[in-house]
Every structure is written in C-alpha cells, then in structure tokens.
Amino acid sequence: NAGVTQTPKFRILKIGQSMTLQCTQDMNHNYMYWYRQDPGMGLKLIYYSVGAGITDKGEVPNGYNVSRSTTEDFPLRLELAAPSQTSVYFCASGQSEAFFGQGTRLTVV
Amino acid sequence: GIQVEQSPPDLILQEGANSTLRCNFSDSVNNLQWFHQNPWGQLINLFYIPSGTKQNGRLSATTVATERYSLLYISSSQTTDSGVYFCAVSPGAAGNKLTFGGGTRVLVKP
C-alpha cells in the first residue's frame, strides 16, 4: 500500500530557481491538498483540488502554482524560489479522512 | 476562519504515565483528525473523529462537537509516544481543507 508518495524528500534551491514537487496517490481519491509546515508550527493549506482539472487556492498560495491533469497526480510548482519558502511540504489526499505523504524538506539559500 | 487551540503546548511524561491533550475549536466542524508527528517528521493518522469516542490500543479520543472540543488520551505512555500531536479540523460540508492547531509537544522519559 503506497498511499501518498512525494518526491524528492530533500532539496536545496538557490534564490530565484524553480522546481516542481511531485505528489501521487494510489487510493483513487478525488480530493488532494498541498500544505506547508514551518518550524515549530502546524500545517497551512497552500492549494487543493477536488478532481482532475479543478484547483483552488488555500490559505497561503502566493509563490506557488498547481495543476491536476490526472486523479493520481498533483504537482506543486515553485517559481522564483525565495528564502520564505524554506519549509517542509506535505501532500495529502482524501475527502473525509486525509492521508499524508512523508513530506519534502526544502531549503532556499 | 476557524481557530484551533491545543493545550498544553508542551508535556513531559515519565514512562507509564497517563495524559490528556485538549483541542478547542471556534466553529462547527464536519471533520476532526488527530495526528502524531514522529521525530522523523512523518504525520501518522491517529483518529478521524468528528464526534463521539474511539479507542485504538493505548490511545483514545473523544469529540464533543456541540461544545467544540476534542480530547486525546494517552495511557501507559511509552518513549515511542514522543513527538508532536496535532489536532486538525475542517468546517466544510465536502472536502477536507484542514486547519491545524499549534500542536502539543510530548516527551516521554524512560
């Protein structure tokens, strides 16, 4: 049972670089989410999707973009990385109970 | 938006002790989950409990939705219980856009 899989697990970016965080789930969930967790804090919602082709902003969307071309995949794109985007990023899926991936630890220097 | 407050913020326990963690929320919710974030950062689902009481081994949880709080009970704590416990809620009728509390950091000493 793979559940929610995120890649990469760790990444260091230079200021101004771009990258895509990958997320895939094998539970056939329509609902998927991206959260970020800053040190010592709870998670905050960046973007979510209720199905293929449909995405919407969460609490902290600035600096990020998402797409949802398939039910399984929900990539998160960072354009022009900034130090404020240093965080741990979690992808989740599920309409009622949410299931989380193992996270991507991103450092922007 | 909905506010979620967890207490206490920090908890130090001797192995074998029992404890109660509390989660208060400011509005009606349709979803409530408890998570354990282990020292490696992984989020582990403990309970999906928008109302009522559930038990899983040494852990149990109760949500009183009408009074807007939930409790997580840890009995006979073990060192592996150390980590951060998060409560997260969603008011939505559909979907699960969770709002997280600040967490309770638990350290269980041998």
Side-chain angles (χ1 to χ4, degrees):
Chain A
N1 288 337
V4 179
T5 303
Q6 294 183 234
T7 56
K9 289 185 170 52
F10 304 94
R11 183 73 185 267
I12 299 175
L13 278 183
K14 294 184 178 179
I15 295 171
Q17 287 185 323
S18 301
M19 76 165 294
T20 299
L21 282 66
Q22 301 292 343
C23 175
T24 187
Q25 52 97 4
D26 62 1
M27 296 175 282
N28 202 33
H29 289 154
N30 285 324
Y31 289 72
M32 295 187 73
Y33 315 85
W34 275 105
Y35 292 85
R36 62 176 284 172
Q37 184 181 28
D38 297 330
M41 308 288 284
L43 282 69
K44 292 185 177 180
L45 183 65
I46 305 171
Y47 269 96
Y48 66 99
S49 169
V50 301
I54 306 170
T55 63
D56 207 347
K57 297 177 180 179
E59 182 183 357
V60 289
N62 291 344
Y64 307 95
N65 280 300
V66 294
S67 60
R68 185 92 182 273
S69 57
T70 67
T71 298
E72 296 78 17
D73 300 308
F74 190 39
L76 177 72
R77 178 81 176 163
L78 279 72
E79 304 281 2
L80 299 175
S84 61
Q85 294 177 305
T86 294
S87 192
V88 181
Y89 292 84
F90 288 95
C91 179
S93 72
Q95 179 168 345
S96 51
E97 185 174 7
F99 297 89
F100 283 77
Q102 293 195 318
T104 295
R105 187 175 298 273
L106 176 68
T107 302
V108 182
V109 296
Chain B
I2 195 167
Q3 304 297 315
V4 183
E5 293 187 1
Q6 293 185 240
S7 59
D10 296 280
L11 192 58
I12 299 175
L13 300 170
Q14 204 64 38
E15 197 169 28
N18 303 327
S19 62
T20 301
L21 283 59
R22 187 175 180 102
C23 172
N24 291 333
F25 42 95
S26 62
D27 206 344
S28 301
V29 298
N30 283 307
N31 294 315
L32 188 146
Q33 287 187 246
W34 283 97
F35 298 92
H36 175 215
Q37 188 166 40
N38 64 23
W40 296 270
Q42 186 180 3
L43 277 170
I44 299 165
N45 287 34
L46 296 178
F47 295 101
Y48 169 68
I49 186 167
S51 64
T53 296
K54 291 186 177 180
Q55 181 159 5
N56 184 2
R58 296 181 296 103
L59 301 181
S60 63
T62 295
T63 297
V64 183
T66 53
E67 298 187 20
R68 300 181 184 171
Y69 73 90
S70 183
L71 302 173
L72 178 69
Y73 306 95
I74 305 174
S75 65
S76 303
S77 58
Q78 300 177 358
T79 56
T80 52
D81 295 331
S82 295
V84 183
Y85 290 80
F86 287 106
C87 169
V89 304
S90 172
N96 200 17
K97 295 180 289 180
L98 293 170
T99 297
F100 279 74
T104 293
R105 289 151 190 78
V106 174
L107 175 63
V108 181
K109 293 186 172 181

